[in-house]
Amino acid sequence: MTTDPRLYLDLDLASGARLPLGKEESHYLINVMRRSAGDTVRLFNGRDGEWQAEIADANKKHAVLDLVEQTREQAGVPDLELLFAPVKRAKTDLIVEKATELGVKRIRPVTTTHTQSERINEERFRSIAREAAEQTERLDLPEIAALEKLDRVLDGWDASRTLIYCDEAGDDGARPWGGDAGRAAAMRDMLGGPGPAAILIGPEGGFSAEERDRLRQLDFVRPVSLGPRILRAETAAIAALTLWQSACGDWS
């Protein structure tokens, strides 16, 4: 049994509509997926649910689709944001891909004292997110925010959204393993219930002492620990998102 390919299209989807595909989508469908006239494909746009379409016309550079019927109604994801400091390109790409797969609503790259990269490619992030959504049955795409300084993000924070701060240093960042007070409480014990939330993952060099002090003084921040081992940034993001979704999100 062959599974119909899924495509994200930023076009309105409605019964009886005829949709000409752009060059990139046509190439993927006809040349990569080896589909031809009469074959079916599934479409979504983040607004109108998922639809089955039939390829009405196809050649190497151009394809036209006829919408047949809606197969799934639109469904969103929990109101969860991921804030992370960009790392090396491959690892940053992995974070964006897995955040999409794990149902993040908004991806917000931030710069910190120890951030390795001061630039991002938003279009590349959107392409990665689109492919991940197409492959994982997701019905929408995460919003990709512009790169901002962490301090500026905190200055404009909506206090009704809990910020879960994954803190690798503990209560006393100047001493190993958080000093006498130890690290923050385990994340699973600090999540609370459903509601708008965000997860903050630091750079590979960790947060600075000044950043940790500020974060711990904010009422909307919950410092949490991800266990006794220091995790790479991409591993920490995946672990934290998994814990939140299993306790507060659409896995529960």
Side-chain angles (χ1 to χ4, degrees), residues 15-93:
S15 181
R18 170 161 284 200
L19 305 175
L21 296 187
K23 182 178 180 180
E24 181 180 343
E25 292 87 358
S26 296
H27 170 75
Y28 173 76
L29 188 61
I30 305 305
N31 301 323
V32 178
M33 297 304 296
R34 303 291 184 182
R35 295 311 196 264
S36 57
D39 290 338
T40 53
V41 59
R42 293 180 292 158
L43 307 175
F44 68 104
N45 62 4
R47 306 183 300 273
D48 301 320
E50 183 181 79
W51 288 74
Q52 185 182 60
E54 181 176 301
I55 302 174
D57 183 30
N59 57 55
K60 291 184 177 181
K61 296 182 179 180
H62 181 69
V64 177
L65 305 180
D66 286 339
L67 287 187
V68 178
E69 61 178 350
Q70 187 183 54
T71 54
R72 294 166 62 192
E73 293 185 356
Q74 185 62 37
V77 294
D79 192 357
L80 176 65
E81 299 182 350
L82 174 66
L83 283 69
F84 75 98
V87 287
K88 294 178 181 178
R89 175 171 166 170
K91 294 179 180 179
T92 295
D93 289 353

Side-chain angles (χ1 to χ4, degrees), residues 76-195:
V77 294
D79 192 357
L80 176 65
E81 299 182 350
L82 174 66
L83 283 69
F84 75 98
V87 287
K88 294 178 181 178
R89 175 171 166 170
K91 294 179 180 179
T92 295
D93 289 353
L94 180 66
I95 291 172
V96 173
E97 178 186 78
K98 299 310 175 187
T100 303
E101 292 180 15
L102 290 166
V104 166
K105 186 173 184 178
R106 190 180 189 205
I107 296 173
R108 302 184 67 177
V110 296
T111 57
T112 66
T113 301
H114 299 146
T115 298
Q116 294 183 352
S117 176
E118 298 290 332
R119 299 174 61 188
I120 64 166
N121 186 330
E122 291 179 41
E123 286 306 311
R124 178 176 176 80
F125 283 7
R126 292 188 180 96
S127 177
I128 292 169
R130 183 182 69 249
E131 291 179 8
E134 289 173 345
Q135 294 170 7
T136 57
E137 301 294 324
R138 181 167 172 165
L139 288 172
D140 64 348
L141 303 186
E143 178 186 346
I144 306 295
L147 184 67
E148 288 188 88
K149 292 183 179 296
L150 177 60
D151 282 339
R152 181 175 296 179
V153 171
L154 295 176
D155 287 341
W157 195 263
D158 178 358
S160 66
R161 181 181 298 276
T162 300
L163 178 58
I164 300 165
Y165 157 46
C166 298
D167 182 13
E168 83 288 350
D171 294 334
D172 185 351
R175 299 174 62 189
W177 300 99
D180 295 336
R183 295 194 173 189
M187 182 171 172
R188 67 179 182 182
D189 297 330
M190 295 292 289
L191 288 175

